[in-house]
Amino acid sequence: MRSTFKVLFYLKRNKEQPLAPVMGRITVNGTITQFSAKIEVPVRLWEVKGGRAKGKSVEADRINRYLDNIRGQINKHYQDICDHDSYVTAERVRNAYQGFDRKYQTLLEAFEKFTVDYRKRVGVDRARRTWERYCKCSEHLHSFMEKVYRVKDMPLLELEQSFIEKFHTYLFHDLGMSPNGLSGYLKCLKYVVKMAFNNGWMPRNPFALYRYTPPQVERGYLTNEELQRLMTTPLRHKCQARTRDLFLFSCFTGICHADMRSLEWKQFEQDAAGNWWVSGNRMKTGTKYLVRLLPVPLSILNKYKGLAGPEKVFPMSTVKVMDRSLKFIAAACGIEKQLSFHLAKHRKFYKCQIIN
C-alpha cells in the first residue's frame, strides 16, 4: 500500500499583528505533526490556499524560496526513511528534518565500533587472535558486499537471513575456506549483529534463527614414533631447536601457546614426594589447570632457565612465527603431518623419556 505524504505551511495568526510566524504541518498515512518554519511573514502577503506568499515581489520570492528549501529537505528525509525502513510516521520525518533522528547504522560501522572496543581489552581478558579474526571478518564482508550486492556497506535494517547464507557460500566457494575456518567468521558476524540488536540499532536480529554446525573432524596428533623422531632428529638452526623444545613442552603438559607465553616461575611447586607441578588459569576460558611435570618438560625447563628474565619462563615468539618454523621442522624430521602449535595439546602426557 502506497503511503500518503504531504507538507503544508500556514500562518499562526496573533490578533492584529502585521507579521505572523509560519508553521509547517507534515502528514504521513494519517499521522500529523507540526513544526515552526522559523520565519515571520507579512499577513497581507500570505495566500492561505497555496500555503505560500502571493505575488512576484522580491520579498514574496524570498519567502517562497525559503519555504521550498524546507519542503525539499523534508521530502529528502521522508524518502531516506522509506528507503531504509518500512515504518514511517510524520513524527519520524519531522525529527529527521530537525536533526533529532539517529543516523542509520551500517554493518561495517558496527564492526568498526566493536573491534575498536575489543582492542582495548586485548591482553586483559581477550585474546589478540580473536580480535584479528573480527578484523579479518570485516575485510571479508567488505569484499563480499562489493561482489554480491555491488555496495561498499549495508544498513543494518536491510539485513535478512539470506545475507549470512550468501556470505557462507562466498567463504566456502569463492575463498575456498574449510567448514571449520568459515564457521569462525560466521560466528563473528552473528555476534556483532546480535550486539547491534541489543544496543537498539535495529528492531530485530535477522540472524537469530540461523544455525551452522561444521562437520566433526578427527583431531590430528603425533604418534609416539613421530614424537621420538621429532625429539631425536638433528636440526641445523638454533631457532628451530628452540621452537621444537617449546612445542615438546606443550605436548607433554597440554599448555597452549598463549598460556606458555605468560607462564612464570612462581607457578611451579614441588610436593612432599618430590614431584613438580605447574598450575594456572587458562587465558582463553579462565579455567584452572594443574599439571604434573614429567622428565621431558622438566629437562626443557632446566635448559631455558633464566633466558626469558627473572619472572618469565620461556622466550616465546608469536604463534604465527612458530607455526611457520614447525613446517620446516616437520620436513626435516620426515613427518608428513602439518605441524602447528595448536596440535601439541591434542595429545597430553606422552609416556616416554627424553633422549640425550
Side-chain angles (χ1 to χ4, degrees):
M1 178 175 156
R2 191 173 180 179
S3 61
T4 58
F5 168 66
K6 186 177 181 180
V7 180
L8 174 68
F9 294 104
Y10 63 95
L11 292 186
K12 186 177 181 181
R13 299 179 183 271
N14 184 15
K15 297 182 180 179
E16 300 299 327
Q17 295 293 332
L19 296 178
V22 178
M23 300 295 294
R25 179 184 294 127
I26 301 173
T27 305
V28 179
N29 294 336
T31 63
I32 301 175
T33 188
Q34 299 173 344
F35 64 94
S36 171
K38 300 186 185 306
I39 186 175
E40 291 186 339
V41 302
V43 176
R44 60 181 175 79
L45 289 179
W46 190 254
E47 184 181 39
V48 176
K49 185 177 180 180
R52 57 195 292 112
K54 58 186 176 182
K56 297 183 180 180
S57 65
V58 174
E59 187 174 12
D61 181 65
R62 177 185 64 83
I63 295 170
N64 290 335
R65 281 190 287 107
Y66 179 84
L67 297 179
D68 288 341
N69 181 52
I70 294 178
R71 191 189 305 274
Q73 292 183 51
I74 294 175
N75 287 338
K76 182 178 181 300
H77 287 294
Y78 167 75
Q79 191 60 51
D80 286 343
I81 296 175
C82 290
D83 291 343
H84 292 88
D85 197 354
S86 59
Y87 178 66
V88 188
T89 65
E91 185 176 5
R92 290 192 63 185
V93 177
R94 182 199 64 185
N95 290 342
Y97 162 68
Q98 294 179 334
F100 299 140
D101 198 27
R102 62 176 173 79
K103 178 181 178 293
Y104 286 100
Q105 294 284 345
T106 65
L107 179 59
L108 294 185
E109 286 175 347
F111 259 89
E112 182 179 3
K113 185 180 187 315
F114 180 86
T115 52
V116 169
D117 294 341
Y118 199 101
R119 180 67 181 86
K120 299 174 183 177
R121 301 174 63 180
V122 171
V124 181
D125 59 351
R126 292 292 183 271
R128 182 179 182 83
R129 292 195 70 182
T130 306
W131 171 73
E132 291 175 346
R133 187 185 304 120
Y134 277 100
C135 294
K136 194 66 178 177
C137 182
S138 179
E139 294 177 12
H140 289 320
L141 283 168
H142 178 74
S143 301
F144 161 71
M145 286 187 286
E146 282 195 329
K147 181 174 183 179
V148 178
Y149 292 93
R150 300 292 190 271
V151 295
K152 294 184 177 180
D153 202 351
M154 185 173 291
L156 292 171
L157 294 174
E158 292 186 10
L159 294 179
E160 300 291 345
Q161 182 169 310
S162 60
F163 181 92
I164 194 171
E165 293 171 350
K166 292 179 180 179
F167 185 53
H168 181 170
T169 303
Y170 171 79
L171 294 176
F172 184 74
H173 289 288
D174 294 57
L175 301 188
M177 289 190 183
S178 66
N180 283 289
L182 65 86
S183 175
Y185 291 119
L186 294 177
K187 289 179 181 178
C188 290
L189 174 59
K190 286 193 64 176
Y191 188 75
V192 170
V193 171
K194 176 184 175 183
M195 294 302 296
F197 169 71
N198 292 342
N199 290 334
W201 297 347
M202 51 200 312
R204 61 187 180 85
N205 182 355
F207 305 153
L209 300 180
Y210 180 79
R211 298 287 184 273
Y212 173 68
T213 303
Q216 293 291 331
V217 295
E218 184 179 354
R219 285 186 169 185
Y221 63 90
L222 291 177
T223 64
N224 284 333
E225 187 274 331
E226 290 171 330
L227 185 66
Q228 290 284 359
R229 202 187 314 161
L230 178 66
M231 296 166 63
T232 56
T233 301
L235 298 176
R236 296 175 58 185
H237 304 288
K238 289 184 178 180
C239 61
Q240 290 183 353
R242 185 181 69 178
T243 299
R244 175 175 62 181
D245 289 339
L246 300 180
F247 178 79
L248 289 172
F249 186 89
S250 182
C251 286
F252 281 89
T253 61
I255 300 176
C256 68
H257 177 276
D259 295 328
M260 282 182 60
R261 197 169 189 174
S262 62
L263 202 60
E264 297 183 353
W265 289 107
K266 62 183 179 181
Q267 295 176 238
F268 295 87
E269 293 183 359
Q270 190 175 27
D271 61 19
N275 298 313
W276 280 94
W277 298 78
V278 58
S279 62
N281 294 310
R282 287 205 62 191
M283 183 176 295
K284 184 175 182 180
T285 62
T287 56
K288 187 174 180 60
Y289 65 84
L290 178 64
V291 180
R292 179 185 170 184
L293 299 179
L294 297 177
V296 172
L298 280 174
S299 176
I300 295 173
L301 278 177
N302 293 329
K303 182 177 180 180
Y304 288 90
K305 192 170 185 178
L307 296 183
E311 296 181 357
K312 297 293 183 180
V313 177
F314 294 119
M316 301 284 291
S317 302
T318 65
V319 69
K320 289 184 179 179
V321 171
M322 300 187 80
D323 283 349
R324 192 181 305 118
S325 181
L326 283 169
K327 293 180 181 179
F328 294 103
I329 294 172
C333 298
I335 299 175
E336 297 181 356
K337 293 175 182 176
Q338 184 175 353
L339 290 189
S340 66
F341 214 94
H342 184 73
L343 182 71
K345 67 188 189 71
H346 287 177
R347 184 88 181 270
K348 304 176 184 179
F349 307 119
Y350 289 95
K351 297 182 179 179
C352 57
Q353 303 298 314
I354 192 168
I355 299 177
N356 296 322

